[in-house]
């Protein structure tokens, strides 16, 4: 039986998918099939798995997906040429360039080359700016957007709450902070962003009503850092050595789940918490891109 304080990300993602699938059907009645293009450069094993999962979900929801796999040696110019083609394609409404890109390619230039109206990842500077300005015409990055959706659907009231975000990355920590301090019913939080140079991280955490761990340090959040009853969201995906497993590694989050779960009011399992929501938000962003394309 599921533990009573678990936030079931898989179940919540299915609720979002059901809404997205209805919007896909409505678009099809208007003669438009939402199209999502994946771009993967090189053979990073984790990226292969992530793109594979996103592709499978898009097919299930009736979104037409195309994956472009380029060799590790692809030049930045070649990659930009592909993105330019996708920017102009009438069948493609969303473009996702899977990170990380090979070291010889400047990721920032690549993300900025995706036309903002197809930037379903929310990485383009225009969309980053729109998020800062709370302009709803932009795209919100999928992982922090998914965390917000988990909080809303789990009825976590963030108004005036102390939220600690751990990690200052461009994909999760920074946009998460921006989302939660917005002047809106589902935000209005007092947000503290802690990072690798922060002092007294444990003290900040112990004051928090909500902790969002996204710094990429395996099992960083321990029971003694959590106020009893606090909500704990684990965004971390860390591969660590594991002598007992087939490939000698295993995945762990940023939260010591076994220790923290008895103290927390609500907690995400990992896997099965934030991960499925990232995919759900990508699908929702893609359908919105298609709706915007046809003027809806
Ligand atoms: N790599 C890790 N997370 C993400 C994400 O949300 N989008 C893309 N494109 N790449 C990622």
């Amino acid at each position: 039986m599921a533990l009573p304080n678990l936030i079931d990300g898989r179940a919540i993602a299915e609720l979002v998918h059901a809404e997205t699938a209805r919007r896909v059907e409505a678009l099809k009645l208007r003669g438009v099939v939402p199209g999502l293009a994946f771009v993967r450069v090189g053979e990073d094993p984790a990226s292969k798995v992530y793109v594979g999962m996103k592709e499978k979900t898009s097919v299930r929801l009736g979104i037409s997906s195309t994956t472009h796999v380029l060799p590790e040696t692809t030049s930045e110019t070649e990659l930009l040429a592909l993105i330019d083609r996708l920017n102009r394609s009438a069948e493609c409404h969303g473009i996702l360039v899977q990170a990380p890109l090979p070291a010889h390619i400047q990721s920032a230039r690549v993300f900025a080359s995706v036309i903002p109206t197809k930037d379903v990842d929310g990485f383009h500077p225009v969309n980053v700016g729109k998020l800062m300005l709370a302009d709803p015409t932009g795209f919100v990055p999928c992982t922090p957007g998914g965390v917000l959706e988990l909080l809303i659907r789990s009825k976590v009231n963030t108004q005036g709450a102390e939220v600690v975000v751990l990690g200052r990355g461009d994909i999760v920590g920074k946009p998460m902070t921006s989302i939660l301090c917005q002047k809106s019913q589902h935000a209005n939080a007092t947000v503290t962003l802690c990072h690798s140079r922060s002092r007294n991280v444990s003290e900040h955490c112990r004051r928090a009503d909500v902790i969002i761990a996204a710094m990429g340090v395996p099992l960083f959040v321990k029971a003694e850092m959590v106020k009893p009853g606090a909500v704990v969201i684990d965004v971390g995906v860390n591969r660590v050595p594991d002598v007992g497993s087939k490939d000698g590694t295993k995945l762990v989050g940023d939260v010591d789940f076994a220790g923290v779960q008895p103290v927390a009011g609500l907690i995400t399992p990992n896997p099965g918490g934030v991960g499925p929501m990232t995919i759900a938000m990508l699908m929702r962003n893609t359908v919105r891109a298609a709706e915007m394309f046809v003027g809806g």
Side-chain angles (χ1 to χ4, degrees):
M1 206 183 75
L3 294 162
N5 65 345
L6 278 191
I7 296 177
D8 186 343
R10 290 197 182 105
I12 295 173
E14 285 308 320
L15 298 176
V16 177
H17 287 326
E19 293 166 12
T20 305
R22 277 196 292 275
R23 288 163 70 179
V24 172
E25 286 316 306
L27 278 164
K28 286 184 177 171
L29 290 175
R30 298 171 69 186
V32 175
V33 180
L36 175 56
F38 297 101
V39 180
R40 180 163 66 73
V41 186
E43 299 301 317
D44 176 59
S47 290
K48 274 183 170 172
V49 173
Y50 291 143
V51 172
M53 289 193 313
K54 292 169 189 174
E55 237 183 328
K56 224 168 90 185
T57 309
S58 44
V59 171
R60 176 157 73 88
L61 299 184
I63 294 170
S64 162
S65 84
T66 322
T67 301
H68 302 263
V69 180
L70 305 179
E72 185 83 26
T73 51
T74 302
S75 69
E76 193 175 297
T77 311
E78 287 167 320
L79 177 55
L80 292 176
L82 169 63
I83 293 169
D84 183 52
R85 194 154 59 74
L86 296 170
N87 280 342
R88 294 162 195 271
S89 159
E91 286 81 45
C92 165
H93 305 100
I95 302 169
L96 182 140
V97 183
Q98 185 66 28
L101 290 167
H104 66 275
I105 293 176
Q106 292 199 39
S107 301
R109 259 200 227 160
V110 172
F111 294 135
S113 76
V114 174
I115 189 169
T117 49
K118 295 189 180 187
D119 172 38
V120 287
D121 250 335
F123 290 174
H124 190 286
V126 163
N127 286 318
V128 175
K130 285 185 173 183
L131 179 60
M132 287 295 290
L133 297 170
D135 176 341
T137 66
F139 286 106
V140 175
C142 302
T143 300
V147 171
L148 178 69
E149 199 68 32
L150 278 183
L151 294 174
I152 293 172
R153 292 187 192 240
S154 305
K155 305 210 167 9
V156 174
N157 184 5
T158 56
Q159 303 241 13
E162 299 282 342
V163 177
V164 165
V165 175
L166 299 170
R168 57 178 154 185
D170 292 337
I171 294 182
V172 187
K174 279 195 259 178
M176 191 78 249
T177 301
S178 190
I179 290 169
L180 287 170
C181 68
Q182 277 176 3
K183 198 170 191 171
S184 88
Q185 186 202 342
H186 296 300
N188 281 335
T190 305
V191 188
T192 304
L193 175 62
C194 294
H195 49 75
S196 55
R197 298 290 184 272
S198 296
R199 273 184 280 128
N200 309 325
V201 176
S202 290
E203 280 169 37
H204 286 299
C205 286
R206 270 195 297 273
R207 271 197 301 272
D209 302 303
V210 179
I211 297 173
I212 299 170
M215 84 286 256
V217 179
L219 311 179
F220 179 86
V221 179
K222 302 275 194 262
E224 56 274 18
M225 295 165 68
V226 177
K227 179 169 80 176
V231 176
V232 181
I233 308 287
D234 188 1
V235 184
V237 183
N238 309 291
R239 195 164 281 285
V240 296
D242 177 32
V243 280
S245 79
K246 232 194 295 174
D247 69 348
T249 70
K250 65 174 176 180
L251 290 176
V252 299
D254 287 357
V255 175
D256 172 20
F257 181 87
V260 172
Q261 186 269 325
V263 183
L266 284 174
I267 185 168
T268 56
N270 190 350
V274 175
M277 292 304 292
T278 297
I279 298 180
M281 294 300 108
L282 174 67
M283 300 299 130
R284 194 166 82 175
N285 279 353
T286 302
V287 168
R288 193 159 73 81
E291 289 168 350
M292 279 158 40
F293 183 80
V294 294

